Amino acid sequence: MKAKKWLATAVALTMAGSLVVGCSTTTGDPGKDGKKKEVVISTNEPGEIPSIDPALAKDSQSSWVIDHVMEGLYFQDKDGLKPGQAKEHKVSADGITYTFTLKDGLKWSNGDAVTAHDFEFAWKRVLDPATASEYAYIIADYIKGGKEYNSADAKKEGEAGMKKLRDAVGVKALDDKTLEVQLAAPTPFFLQLVSYYTYYPVPKKVVESNAKWAAEANTYVSNGPFKVVEWAKDKRLVAAKNENYWSKDTITADKIIWNNLSDDNTAWQMYQNGELNMFRAVPPAATEQALKTGEMKPTPQLATYFYRFNVTKPPFNNVKVRKAFAMAIDRKAIIDNVTKAGQKPAYAFVSPGIKAPDGKDFREAGGNAFFKEDANEAKKLLEEGLKELGMSSMPKITLTYNTNEGHKKIAEAIQEMWKKNLGVEVELQNAEWKVYLDKVHKLDYQVARAGWIGDYLDPITFIDMFVTKGDNNETGWSNPKYDELVVASKKEQDQKKRDQMLHDAEKILMDEMPIMPIYFYTHNNAYKPELQGYYQPANREPVFRYATIK
């Protein structure tokens, strides 16, 4: 997920207490008066939530909220993929045409009926170039006619031309309850795709009448298990149980509060005080304590922590310089001494956890290391790279990260390693979340922190990030052979051949090193013992639909 990048912003301790609804006394059990008390989950979001519009969201803080207030045809349940808004689906013999039938009685939070027309409208809205959705590719690459429409020049095509392209996109509501989808090529993981938030429907009537419908709580309309009832920007977002949800009787949580807290130490103190009953991404300073109490239990996550290089400007336009920086750090030391949450060193990009049909893990089958750590070789490569650039010495460089204590500590450790092993002076630069996202997207950096959570359980969710001019590339890197392999892999039906294409593409990525993998993530959230019933898919944030408080 784009910028399934991580963590976040800053707020004063005196302010933070006023932003949080205390939850230490909430319970799912009957009170003395016999009435069930509210089940309220209060947690932290590292900074302001950029957008809860499924077409425009591009980061994990936004998608965490969207996954609770919206729902697609399928959703990630506690024991796997389950039908959401869909009642059933059929697939043609050639694997090209999917026909989805919606459940009876589906409603938006405002009481309007959810229809197949809402899905058609939503997907084509994502693809519309005017929407400027950074995640449009996740639909465009798979739906017939999607790429042509999404990449069209509206000025050149004109209104009639754009309408023709839009009408040619392979998604059509046959009636209120039937959605027909034609794929560009058979896609075995398509149900995984439709469970992703970019494929969620939006209320056609509402969006057409108010372009800013997703900007405020009182205009936001949703179809998920929860609905937005309050949104104080840069403070908190509150969602309450949606009485119009088709499976409302299975939803045990009454309210979820995402508090925008940039300072990890402040947020952790609030968690300890009982003002939060769930803490997302325990900061390194608190990891040992959280592990001892048993409130944090690290589990593997389909995600990779890495640094991007801006390859458009010296000195990182030289591959030897990039490789030198990647080889000159000690990943295990970072994990053992800084993150301390059982992460695994990363010498490749695709995270473990994606199984091929034969049961083999993609990471294991492709080898676990494309490069090695070697300070002496790194120093030699740096000298050679600088010579090729006509530079006599390495200038001071800037490492950018989004404001967060954990990212800061990792950056400080790497800063010291680069100084010791390469003799390079590194200036650390932090930026608030939205500013950071903008800087990285505009290539206004030299080296920048990043993180990526796989959107679905297929290697392409990692590999297609770095196609030429891809919205999630954000390095300036381009390789025609890499692009060719990515395109071919999306059409190849022989899984063995397809996996080899993706392994070959990853090797090109690691050989040219526009990014520097550091470690594979673990989920390192903390939960108060009384909070139960939550679950966490490998590629999602915690889900609270069945949460209770004992």
Side-chain angles (χ1 to χ4, degrees), residues 485-502:
L485 286 165
V486 170
V487 171
S489 73
K490 292 180 178 180
K491 300 176 180 178
E492 180 57 59
Q493 296 306 298
D494 185 311
Q495 188 62 44
K496 187 174 181 180
K497 290 181 180 178
R498 182 174 183 271
D499 278 358
Q500 189 57 56
M501 291 174 179
L502 294 172

Side-chain angles (χ1 to χ4, degrees), residues 226-270:
F226 300 89
K227 60 184 179 181
V228 179
V229 295
E230 178 187 340
W231 192 6
K233 304 298 172 61
D234 205 23
K235 293 183 179 180
R236 69 177 190 173
L237 186 148
V238 182
K241 184 175 178 178
N242 180 9
E243 291 302 317
N244 283 328
Y245 182 58
W246 65 271
S247 187
K248 64 180 180 180
D249 292 342
T250 68
I251 307 304
T252 53
D254 294 297
K255 189 178 293 184
I256 308 169
I257 304 167
W258 287 275
N259 298 283
N260 301 144
L261 302 168
S262 305
D263 184 75
D264 275 353
N265 294 323
T266 297
W268 182 248
Q269 186 63 47
M270 292 165 63

